[in-house]
Amino acid sequence: MQRSKGYVAAMVQEPTLEWHVIPEPTNVEPMVGTCSLPLSGTVVEQRGADDAEAVFARQLVDDIKRVCGGRWQVASGEVQREVTLRTSPSLDDWSYVLEVSPDGVVITGSGFEGVRDGVQTLRQIIRQIGLTIPCMVIRDRPAFSTRGYYLDVTRGRVPSMAWLKSWVDRLCFYKYNQFQLYIEHTFQFNGLSEVWRGADPLTASDILELDSYCAARGIELVPSVSTFGHHYTALRTRQLRDLGEFPEDADRPFSLIERMTHHTLNITDERSYEFSTSLIDELMPLFRSRKFNICADETFDLGKGRSKQESAKRGVGAMYADFVERLCRHVDDRGHDVMVWADVALEHPEIIDTLPKNITWLNWQYEPDVDDGTTAALADAGATQMVCPAVWCWNALIPRIDDAWNNITRMARHGRAHDVSGMLVTDWGISGTSTIPACRFRA
């Protein structure tokens, strides 16, 4: 990745003004002079930007007002004003060029997402150094086509819609383009009031509202729900406990360890498949995304309880593969691409070739000193994968920054080396903690 010597510090007469952009742009070419934007100006979105609600222009206007007190306007048309947003088919996918000259700022994107990311770069610069900006040309393209964030809204209190929208705004600011919510029981599934009662669950209306909010900001909201393991709440109810591997343990006292390491569906009971597909079918129509994450991770009890006899005949790996294959086929028949957490498949690598080729494997590895073993293994198998590091927020009041930094940067490097399809940063509420305690919760 080429870096410009003028990136860290930009000279605007005296003194030196330092600014940083996250993620760091691919190339920054400093030019002579500065651009002094006025306190009263206009952001023009030319036709082709595909920003029907002028969200990105309004983001700039809001930041200018917040930082400098300026009162700017938003306009559309083909004219060029103080800040101009436009598209060009000649640019590579997802890329943008940000040109700062004494006459103003022009952001040219390859399309909607390119314009969005160019605007976020300008917003970050303005927030740091105001309206006097050094002349330069920034050319940038993301390292991964998919940059996702995965937020646990199950193991802890459910965040309010206002907070979720504020989180989406932050993800947009840092150029993420995918968002997933981890759900076990915190959605108001029809006919399952015993499962979500008292959880203040998200509703269908909430998802529709959040999906639209994400889409307007260039973020794909992807449905995600547990369909195999991690059914702690569901398998403790009178209604569903008989579907678990160990229904006799449904009334054991609560503990965080118990919640995490137990409660897998007994897949030898056909009702388990019907239960899982009913969750998929209820969530799927609420999202405009054509992807679906069925999770299927950490099936700790598989083959140990009600299915033990079947496991002795066929093996845990084969049982897992058969059930996941059925779920994948169900999702595929509805025109969606399926995502699956990769931990069980990596424990039983012989099953990878037996499962559908259109699976995107979510390769989560959370060690700060993680090597590229699992990334290489999936790549060698010809599997599509996303690398999935973590923000390391479990069992703590705040994320452990050093561990998170090391884990995320290493997984990103491994992903780049093996040409993965994207990166999904995970934020888990294990042991009841995540980034969510800083938010406002639902009533």
Side-chain angles (χ1 to χ4, degrees), residues 282-302:
E282 189 165 346
L283 274 179
M284 186 178 283
L286 305 177
F287 299 76
R288 67 192 69 195
S289 173
R290 306 309 294 176
K291 302 180 180 69
F292 200 104
N293 182 1
I294 64 171
C295 294
D297 58 314
E298 296 188 326
T299 51
F300 298 119
D301 294 339
L302 182 61

Side-chain angles (χ1 to χ4, degrees), residues 153-402:
V153 296
T154 282
R155 292 177 289 213
R157 291 180 287 181
V158 182
S160 68
M161 182 57 57
W163 187 88
L164 285 172
K165 287 181 177 179
S166 72
W167 195 253
V168 170
D169 288 334
R170 183 167 298 186
L171 295 178
C172 176
F173 187 70
Y174 291 113
K175 306 172 187 175
Y176 285 83
N177 63 359
Q178 188 182 109
F179 188 31
Q180 298 189 35
L181 304 177
Y182 174 60
I183 291 174
E184 292 174 9
H185 68 286
T186 49
F187 179 81
Q188 192 172 307
F189 290 105
N190 288 325
L192 297 179
S193 61
E194 191 182 3
V195 176
W196 49 256
R197 184 186 303 132
D200 194 17
L202 294 165
T203 66
S205 295
D206 291 332
I207 296 298
L208 290 171
E209 181 179 350
L210 184 62
D211 187 64
S212 294
Y213 195 84
C214 286
R217 286 150 185 82
I219 296 174
E220 180 182 17
L221 186 65
V222 175
S224 171
V225 66
S226 289
T227 59
F228 201 160
H230 287 303
H231 276 297
Y232 175 77
T233 302
L235 295 183
R236 285 166 60 88
T237 65
R238 298 291 174 184
Q239 179 183 3
L240 297 172
R241 65 175 56 198
D242 198 42
L243 297 184
E245 285 275 11
F246 294 100
E248 63 272 15
D249 291 343
D251 293 322
R252 284 174 23 165
F254 171 83
S255 74
L256 292 172
I257 294 176
E258 168 77 9
R259 195 199 190 294
M260 288 298 303
T261 60
H262 207 25
H263 312 288
T264 300
L265 290 172
N266 167 25
I267 59 175
T268 62
D269 188 329
E270 184 62 16
R271 293 176 300 165
S272 292
Y273 174 75
E274 294 169 358
F275 168 65
S276 293
T277 53
S278 73
L279 303 182
I280 293 170
D281 290 345
E282 189 165 346
L283 274 179
M284 186 178 283
L286 305 177
F287 299 76
R288 67 192 69 195
S289 173
R290 306 309 294 176
K291 302 180 180 69
F292 200 104
N293 182 1
I294 64 171
C295 294
D297 58 314
E298 296 188 326
T299 51
F300 298 119
D301 294 339
L302 182 61
K304 296 179 180 178
R306 291 286 181 90
S307 69
K308 187 173 183 178
Q309 187 174 4
E310 184 69 14
S311 174
K313 297 177 183 176
R314 303 175 54 216
V316 169
M319 291 175 61
Y320 176 88
D322 283 353
F323 190 71
V324 168
E325 194 276 334
R326 292 183 70 190
L327 294 178
C328 290
R329 194 183 326 126
H330 183 85
V331 172
D332 184 67
D333 287 346
R334 283 147 184 79
H336 284 60
D337 298 321
V338 68
M339 295 177 162
V340 184
W341 295 111
D343 54 303
V344 180
L346 287 167
E347 291 175 5
H348 302 275
E350 71 279 1
I351 72 175
I352 294 176
D353 285 339
T354 70
L355 288 165
K357 302 302 181 185
N358 64 342
I359 291 176
T360 296
W361 293 102
L362 303 177
N363 179 19
W364 60 273
Q365 303 292 325
Y366 300 153
E367 299 84 359
D369 58 350
V370 61
D371 62 28
D372 73 339
T374 59
T375 309
L378 287 169
D380 291 344
T384 301
Q385 64 173 307
M386 293 177 65
V387 289
C388 305
V391 298
W392 273 79
C393 56
W394 51 83
N395 300 324
L397 293 175
I398 59 174
R400 293 183 286 287
I401 302 300
D402 286 346

Side-chain angles (χ1 to χ4, degrees), residues 12-150:
V12 183
Q13 298 179 354
E14 294 292 339
T16 296
L17 299 179
E18 292 189 359
W19 52 272
H20 306 267
V21 174
I22 301 174
E24 183 179 337
T26 304
N27 180 271
V28 180
E29 181 183 352
M31 309 293 284
V32 176
T34 61
C35 172
S36 295
L37 295 173
L39 288 178
S40 178
T42 302
V43 181
V44 171
E45 289 203 27
Q46 295 185 352
R47 284 189 291 271
D50 295 328
D51 180 12
E53 300 176 27
V55 169
F56 306 137
R58 296 182 193 283
Q59 287 176 337
L60 274 171
V61 168
D62 289 344
D63 273 358
I64 290 171
K65 181 177 182 180
R66 184 182 304 111
V67 172
C68 308
R71 299 185 67 85
W72 278 48
Q73 299 182 44
V74 173
S76 62
E78 296 303 310
V79 298
Q80 185 166 319
R81 299 297 294 271
E82 289 83 3
V83 176
T84 303
L85 312 180
R86 65 188 187 185
T87 60
S88 171
S90 65
L91 294 178
D92 293 337
D93 289 344
W94 315 300
S95 65
Y96 69 89
V97 177
L98 189 157
E99 301 170 273
V100 183
S101 72
D103 296 329
V105 180
V106 177
I107 295 172
T108 307
S110 60
F112 175 80
E113 189 169 318
V115 171
R116 182 198 75 149
D117 289 354
V119 168
Q120 307 317 309
T121 293
L122 181 58
R123 292 177 66 202
Q124 291 186 34
I125 294 171
I126 288 174
R127 286 192 181 190
Q128 295 172 76
I129 63 175
L131 296 182
T132 299
I133 305 172
C135 292
M136 69 184 114
V137 178
I138 297 177
R139 294 179 176 86
D140 195 17
R141 188 176 189 271
F144 297 109
S145 59
T146 300
R147 291 93 60 204
Y149 201 93
Y150 195 85

